[in-house]
Amino acid sequence: MNSKRSHSINILETPFSTVTSSGHWFHATRETVKDYVPGLMKIYSFEDLIAKAVSWIDSADSLAMVFFFILAFLVNPWIAAGVAFAFHYFWYHHKSAFINIATTPFLYFINRDFFQLLTAAVALSFMGISGMYLAVALGILLFFLFKIGLLRRLWDKLDSNREKSGLPLNDRVLKMVLVRYSIYQNIPPKEIEKLDRHVQQSIIDYNRKKKKK
């Protein structure tokens, strides 16, 4: 295994996968990206591309939390919580369809701890001053659920019990990040299906390795 470090993210690479220090797992590797989008890693480091993908993955928690704190001032707190949960589920499973370059820095910003803590502190303070005690209780609960990624783990657990086809969610996000940034840099992917085949083979190889242990 090779440990690679950059200013923005720490990753651990194996022959079959890439894992970030925050626990995000990708079956794509550095060599896959080199083959899939030749030249792109001359502009963006592998760590930077992974960090961009992680920004979109984590955005389900950040956006759902912000939506709750906004909606809680406008509608019943239970409705606000329900909408936040529904949005989180939808965005977590379909975010790859919305990936674009302009939004990535914004998501990176709202994913940062200081922004989330500041948003929660200000919103909860106003709720408390206004006597919105149910909203405060739900806000604290949802903040911790979103902050430590429990909902993402729940969706992953439910998805693991279903028969799946195609790329895993994280690899789907990384694929779209590579596509968007390669188009932006006028570096067309060599073969659009190559990453799909590599990831699927990596999953097979990884599962075989686990069974042998």
Side-chain angles (χ1 to χ4, degrees), residues 37 40 44 177-189:
V37 193
L40 188 62
Y44 306 102
V177 166
L178 296 177
V179 169
R180 299 300 186 211
Y181 279 86
S182 64
I183 293 174
Y184 177 71
Q185 296 294 342
N186 198 27
I187 307 174

Side-chain angles (χ1 to χ4, degrees), residues 157-206:
K157 179 64 176 177
L158 294 176
D159 290 344
S160 68
N161 296 327
R162 302 171 186 166
E163 186 175 346
K164 296 176 292 184
S165 60
L167 295 179
L169 290 174
N170 286 1
D171 290 293
R172 200 183 307 166
V173 171
L174 179 59
K175 174 185 174 180
M176 292 310 300
V177 166
L178 296 177
V179 169
R180 299 300 186 211
Y181 279 86
S182 64
I183 293 174
Y184 177 71
Q185 296 294 342
N186 198 27
I187 307 174
K190 182 188 295 184
E191 188 179 351
I192 200 67
E193 297 178 352
K194 188 165 188 174
L195 181 63
D196 301 53
R197 294 200 303 268
H198 171 85
V199 168
Q200 290 164 1
Q201 186 59 48
S202 294
I203 294 173
I204 293 172
D205 293 341
Y206 177 75

Side-chain angles (χ1 to χ4, degrees), residues 8 16 32 36 48 57 70 73 87 100-101 103 110 176 188:
S8 59
F16 305 105
T32 312
Y36 178 61
D48 191 27
I57 295 169
I70 293 174
F73 287 101
F87 171 82
N100 63 79
I101 293 174
T103 310
I110 69 169
M176 292 310 300

Side-chain angles (χ1 to χ4, degrees), residues 33-208:
V33 175
K34 286 181 180 178
D35 292 340
Y36 178 61
V37 193
L40 188 62
M41 284 178 52
K42 295 179 181 178
I43 303 172
Y44 306 102
S45 69
F46 181 62
E47 291 83 357
D48 191 27
L49 293 170
I50 291 292
K52 295 179 190 303
V54 169
S55 293
W56 281 89
I57 295 169
D58 288 344
S59 67
D61 296 322
S62 305
L63 290 174
M65 182 186 70
V66 171
F67 283 164
F68 170 78
F69 284 128
I70 293 174
L71 289 174
F73 287 101
L74 304 175
V75 298
N76 181 280
W78 287 113
I79 296 177
V83 171
F85 270 91
F87 171 82
H88 189 282
Y89 181 86
F90 171 82
W91 188 259
Y92 183 63
H93 288 89
H94 301 286
K95 57 188 173 292
S96 58
F98 301 93
I99 290 175
N100 63 79
I101 293 174
T103 310
T104 303
F106 167 73
L107 295 181
Y108 175 78
F109 176 76
I110 69 169
N111 288 340
R112 299 189 67 175
D113 289 341
F114 88 89
F115 174 82
Q116 295 177 4
L117 291 171
L118 180 62
T119 300
V122 172
L124 291 172
S125 296
F126 274 104
M127 289 174 180
I129 293 172
S130 304
M132 302 168 61
Y133 302 119
L134 175 59
V136 170
L138 289 175
I140 293 174
L141 175 62
L142 291 179
F143 174 78
F144 283 106
L145 284 177
F146 294 140
K147 188 70 185 118
I148 61 180
L150 278 181
L151 276 186
R152 285 190 283 109
R153 296 175 191 177
L154 174 61
W155 306 147
D156 286 341
K157 179 64 176 177
L158 294 176
D159 290 344
S160 68
N161 296 327
R162 302 171 186 166
E163 186 175 346
K164 296 176 292 184
S165 60
L167 295 179
L169 290 174
N170 286 1
D171 290 293
R172 200 183 307 166
V173 171
L174 179 59
K175 174 185 174 180
M176 292 310 300
V177 166
L178 296 177
V179 169
R180 299 300 186 211
Y181 279 86
S182 64
I183 293 174
Y184 177 71
Q185 296 294 342
N186 198 27
I187 307 174
K190 182 188 295 184
E191 188 179 351
I192 200 67
E193 297 178 352
K194 188 165 188 174
L195 181 63
D196 301 53
R197 294 200 303 268
H198 171 85
V199 168
Q200 290 164 1
Q201 186 59 48
S202 294
I203 294 173
I204 293 172
D205 293 341
Y206 177 75
N207 290 333
R208 285 175 179 171

